[in-house]
Amino acid sequence: MNKPIRTRAITGTALALAVSAVLTACGGESTSSSDTKAEGTPQAKAVAVKDPLVATFDGGMYVLDGESLKLAATVELPGFNRLNPAGDDSHVMVSTDAGFRVLSVTEQAFTGIEYKGAKPGHVVRHADKTVLFTDGTGEVNVFDPDDLEGGKKPQGRTYTSAEPHHGVAIELSNGELLSTLGTEEKRTGALVLDKNNKEIKRNEKCPGVHGEAAAKGEAIGIGCEDGILIYKDGKFTKVDAPDDYGRIGNQSGSDVSPILLGDYKTDPEAELERPTRISLINTETGKLRLVDLGTSYSFRSLGRGPNGEALLLGTNGTLHVIDPETGKVDKKIPVVDEWQEPLDWQQPRPTLFVRDDIAYVSEPGKRKLHTIDIESGKKVMSVTLPKSTNELSGVVAGH
């Protein structure tokens, strides 16, 4: 991680804020100290927020203070919208039906920056760069997130895939760009481009390629339907799954751990498989370990702690803190009620967002949002929001 992220401990002050937040947020009334505002319209004076969070609901987004969970503003935005950190301390990327838009959490309004295109997909932060992949066009946009300040579109690198597909791309610290290969019907692997967008490496032994994560030593993993493909030190290595069909489609990495956390599915015919096993992939040894947690989870359940801990939110309502080296579950933290993953991936379900030493967990069924101190294993505070939320994200500077 090239830019340090400010860490903080949960203190008695934060607990006092929690009590205040619960008192002001319960009962379903808005805690916003500003008026609800129309899409993209800045309010007269934005409310100052620390460590901002953003959560979507049907019809808009909430901007919240990450320490107190106090609701600062409501931004109206119709449709199903997705959220990702933009890579700095004041912006969040919002994926809409028309492309990527940039939300200023300090102004609590959209900037004029847009990356238009059908089916905006993955947003990846790595080596001080943010990379957008637009599925409908195959276009890749790379920029320095610090250049979002000022409201002007950053001057950045672009690349267009041979064919549009549901893909992902990541730029490495040496300027190489790894991007997936595929069509709308079939995805096969990845290629690597040099600084001038000239292809230097390719591997097409990754059927159904999906998702990415970076591990210690800048080892990049991309998921396949039969394992995972790792790119490190200029070479591709395939780590095979123990099953003929062993799909790893969602991964989470840490700069302080060589081990990637992934999901693991084995039924290609399932309308929705609810797996209970996770995968731990050692990018140094090429070994893959499966751990059965005895509870299912969703694609919004994976995260990493500040010391490389593997985190997983189960449908049993528990946050599992796992030692990635051994696969041992070190902590089981009760957070939400038991839940079941909905068949429609766009429908709300409890969601995990991790930043520094704090895990944020939404509970749509109760309109709640919780914070957990990962080190102590304690739930610090909970608030009730006016509406049930779906996606949950926030600002994360440096990655």
Side-chain angles (χ1 to χ4, degrees), residues 77-355:
L77 185 66
F80 173 73
N81 303 292
R82 309 206 67 192
L83 300 172
N84 283 282
D88 67 356
D89 60 3
S90 56
H91 296 91
V92 168
M93 300 301 300
V94 182
S95 303
T96 73
D97 58 3
F100 295 101
R101 299 179 66 181
V102 180
L103 178 74
S104 168
V105 290
T106 53
E107 297 296 329
Q108 287 134 31
F110 283 104
T111 70
I113 302 171
E114 293 186 57
Y115 292 84
K116 294 182 179 180
K119 302 178 182 177
H122 286 259
V123 178
V124 176
R125 297 167 295 107
H126 180 73
D128 294 336
K129 294 292 175 60
T130 299
V131 183
L132 313 178
F133 196 104
T134 302
D135 295 349
T137 62
E139 185 174 88
V140 175
N141 284 279
V142 184
F143 60 87
D144 183 336
D146 288 342
D147 292 340
L148 293 172
E149 287 296 335
K152 292 184 179 180
K153 194 171 185 178
Q155 294 294 314
R157 177 181 187 174
T158 61
Y159 163 72
T160 301
S161 308
E163 294 195 48
H165 63 281
H166 179 47
V168 66
I170 179 172
E171 186 174 279
L172 281 65
S173 57
N174 63 3
E176 292 180 352
L177 181 70
L178 184 152
S179 191
T180 51
L181 290 162
T183 67
E184 291 184 358
E185 291 76 32
K186 185 179 182 181
R187 304 191 298 274
T188 57
L191 54 74
V192 179
L193 309 171
D194 67 12
K195 293 180 180 179
N196 300 313
N197 282 2
K198 179 183 177 182
E199 182 178 331
I200 55 175
K201 296 285 181 181
R202 175 182 289 241
N203 186 295
E204 295 193 64
K205 296 181 180 179
C206 185
V209 58
H210 185 272
E212 59 67 45
K216 183 180 179 181
E218 206 169 34
I220 310 300
I222 56 173
C224 317
E225 290 179 349
D226 56 0
I228 195 165
L229 189 63
I230 298 171
Y231 182 73
K232 183 180 180 182
D233 298 331
K235 297 179 180 178
F236 278 110
T237 303
K238 179 67 177 294
V239 178
D240 293 323
D243 299 277
D244 290 338
Y245 181 89
R247 182 179 188 269
I248 300 173
N250 299 280
Q251 312 89 35
S252 185
S254 167
D255 289 344
V256 297
S257 171
I259 298 171
L260 296 173
L261 166 66
D263 57 2
Y264 193 75
K265 295 183 176 182
T266 57
D267 184 357
E269 305 301 325
E271 180 180 9
L272 174 66
E273 184 175 351
R274 295 185 171 96
T276 60
R277 291 184 295 176
I278 57 162
S279 55
L280 295 169
I281 307 99
N282 191 316
T283 60
E284 293 180 342
T285 65
K287 300 294 184 182
L288 186 154
R289 179 200 303 266
L290 296 177
V291 178
D292 196 329
L293 297 175
T295 179
S296 63
Y297 53 90
S298 89
F299 70 95
R300 293 184 184 149
S301 292
L302 282 64
R304 301 302 290 264
N307 300 309
E309 307 96 324
L311 306 175
L312 186 127
L313 179 66
T315 56
N316 60 356
T318 298
L319 180 64
H320 300 74
V321 182
I322 306 158
D323 183 335
E325 297 282 349
T326 64
K328 178 187 175 185
V329 179
D330 290 333
K331 296 189 188 81
K332 293 184 178 181
I333 308 168
V335 184
V336 300
D337 288 346
E338 289 188 17
W339 54 283
Q340 185 178 60
E341 182 179 9
L343 288 174
D344 182 352
W345 72 272
Q346 293 188 355
Q347 291 301 306
R349 81 285 310 279
T351 296
L352 173 68
F353 172 65
V354 183
R355 184 171 54 196

